[in-house]
Amino acid sequence: MDVPPFIIVAIDGGAASGKSTSSRILSDRFNLLHVDTGSFYRAITAEFLRLGVDAADLPAVHAAAARLRFGTRLNGRSAQMEIGGRVVLDADIRSRTVNDHVSHFAAIPEVRTALLAYQRGQADVARSHGFRGLVMEGRDIGSMIFPQADFRFFLHADPAERARRRAREGQQDSIAERDRLDSSRKTSPLACPPGATSIDTTHQSLDQVVELMATPIAHRLSAA
Ligand code: CDP
């Protein structure tokens, strides 16, 4: 009997572009492990802040990054990061302070390198738990982490619409500033990678955006 294909779906985009909600829906629909790499950068940021490490103090960042030990725990279909055996809670990583600092730490090449193998290793986590694949969201998934992914999507939306979405979630977030930092950094800047499918979500409902991604995925899985 043929082994069903293991598929990798990469979804990149700026803050509040709709990545997380649509990734979760695709994860449920196709039994894919959901991996939110933004939560990893947020978790590292919360840990650096807890340790009193300043993003401007590069030697201290490098030393702290080298000491981090990561693990993964499953929360339903989502991968949750553990640092030093402790699971990192959502409440601790969605704070205003983390929002303000995360892009500064994420721009440091050694921080990105510290996460590279861990992020790629999520494919093994998905395989070993019997998922059909993985849907990974972030800023550099289709360009750097999984450039050979079966599907690569890039979501974007007007800044005003994205700010409205974040406000509706009750969050204070420096979206414009994070986007500026994320797009202008030297290492793995936020950009639509060549060959990825770009989707403007400004005037589309969540259902419409999900269908644009789900249709080719369903086609691939049913053809297998
Ligand atoms: O959810 P939201 O779109 O606000 O952001 P996020 O996905 O939680 O990511 C938080 C921050 O982590 C981003 O602003 C980036 O600075 C950084 N990040 C990154 O550099 N590379 C990734 N693959 C994912 C996130």
Side-chain angles (χ1 to χ4, degrees), residues 33-44:
L33 176 67
H34 169 231
V35 186
D36 172 6
T37 61
S39 75
F40 299 164
Y41 281 95
R42 287 170 176 277
I44 287 195

Side-chain angles (χ1 to χ4, degrees), residues 52-104:
V53 175
D54 186 333
D57 183 354
L58 292 180
V61 174
H62 299 172
R67 279 198 297 272
L68 296 173
R69 293 290 166 265
F70 304 125
T72 304
R73 197 176 295 184
L74 288 193
N75 179 16
R77 287 195 174 81
S78 291
Q80 238 179 347
M81 180 182 248
E82 293 173 333
I83 299 184
R86 280 184 308 118
V87 78
V88 189
L89 297 174
D90 238 35
D92 296 333
I93 63 173
R94 309 269 161 210
S95 67
R96 176 79 208 243
T97 320
V98 170
N99 281 345
D100 287 345
H101 286 84
V102 61
S103 294
H104 295 280

Side-chain angles (χ1 to χ4, degrees), residues 11-20 36-42 45 93-94 98-99 101-107 112 115 119 136-141 145 162 166 169 171 173-175 177-179 181-183 185 187-190:
I11 305 184
D12 289 304
S17 56
K19 302 182 304 286
S20 289
D36 172 6
T37 61
S39 75
F40 299 164
Y41 281 95
R42 287 170 176 277
T45 299
I93 63 173
R94 309 269 161 210
V98 170
N99 281 345
H101 286 84
V102 61
S103 294
H104 295 280
F105 286 110
R112 306 198 71 81
L115 273 175
Q119 291 173 91
M136 183 175 276
E137 49 161 315
R139 302 290 188 287
D140 60 346
I141 312 308
I145 308 301
R162 292 190 287 127
R166 206 39 42 115
E169 291 164 4
Q171 277 204 51
D173 197 349
S174 36
I175 288 184
E177 176 63 0
R178 281 202 288 129
D179 274 2
L181 290 167
D182 293 344
S183 310
R185 70 183 174 217
T187 313
S188 302
L190 168 68

Side-chain angles (χ1 to χ4, degrees), residues 1-220:
M1 226 171 69
D2 284 349
V3 181
F6 181 88
I7 61 158
I8 295 186
V9 181
I11 305 184
D12 289 304
S17 56
K19 302 182 304 286
S20 289
T21 318
S22 47
S23 298
R24 281 207 186 86
I25 295 173
L26 293 174
S27 153
D28 284 344
R29 192 177 300 181
F30 297 113
N31 190 26
L32 308 174
L33 176 67
H34 169 231
V35 186
D36 172 6
T37 61
S39 75
F40 299 164
Y41 281 95
R42 287 170 176 277
I44 287 195
T45 299
E47 181 68 4
F48 286 150
L49 294 174
R50 193 178 72 81
L51 297 170
V53 175
D54 186 333
D57 183 354
L58 292 180
V61 174
H62 299 172
R67 279 198 297 272
L68 296 173
R69 293 290 166 265
F70 304 125
T72 304
R73 197 176 295 184
L74 288 193
N75 179 16
R77 287 195 174 81
S78 291
Q80 238 179 347
M81 180 182 248
E82 293 173 333
I83 299 184
R86 280 184 308 118
V87 78
V88 189
L89 297 174
D90 238 35
D92 296 333
I93 63 173
R94 309 269 161 210
S95 67
R96 176 79 208 243
T97 320
V98 170
N99 281 345
D100 287 345
H101 286 84
V102 61
S103 294
H104 295 280
F105 286 110
I108 300 171
E110 285 77 3
V111 170
R112 306 198 71 81
T113 305
L115 273 175
L116 186 70
Y118 175 70
Q119 291 173 91
R120 290 190 178 144
Q122 296 303 309
D124 298 326
V125 174
R127 281 194 181 89
S128 66
H129 286 89
F131 288 95
R132 285 183 90 169
L134 114 154
V135 52
M136 183 175 276
E137 49 161 315
R139 302 290 188 287
D140 60 346
I141 312 308
S143 57
M144 179 58 73
I145 308 301
F146 287 120
Q148 312 295 338
D150 300 85
F151 300 94
R152 294 181 305 151
F153 299 104
F154 187 85
L155 305 189
H156 57 102
D158 280 355
E161 170 59 19
R162 292 190 287 127
R164 270 194 294 277
R165 290 176 190 169
R166 206 39 42 115
R168 272 203 300 273
E169 291 164 4
Q171 277 204 51
Q172 277 196 306
D173 197 349
S174 36
I175 288 184
E177 176 63 0
R178 281 202 288 129
D179 274 2
R180 190 186 64 73
L181 290 167
D182 293 344
S183 310
S184 61
R185 70 183 174 217
K186 285 205 178 69
T187 313
S188 302
L190 168 68
C192 181
T197 304
S198 172
I199 301 174
D200 184 349
T201 72
T202 311
H203 303 294
Q204 307 218 53
S205 69
L206 179 63
D207 286 352
Q208 287 172 317
V209 173
V210 167
E211 283 323 307
L212 285 173
M213 297 191 275
T215 304
I217 296 173
H219 190 257
R220 169 80 58 91

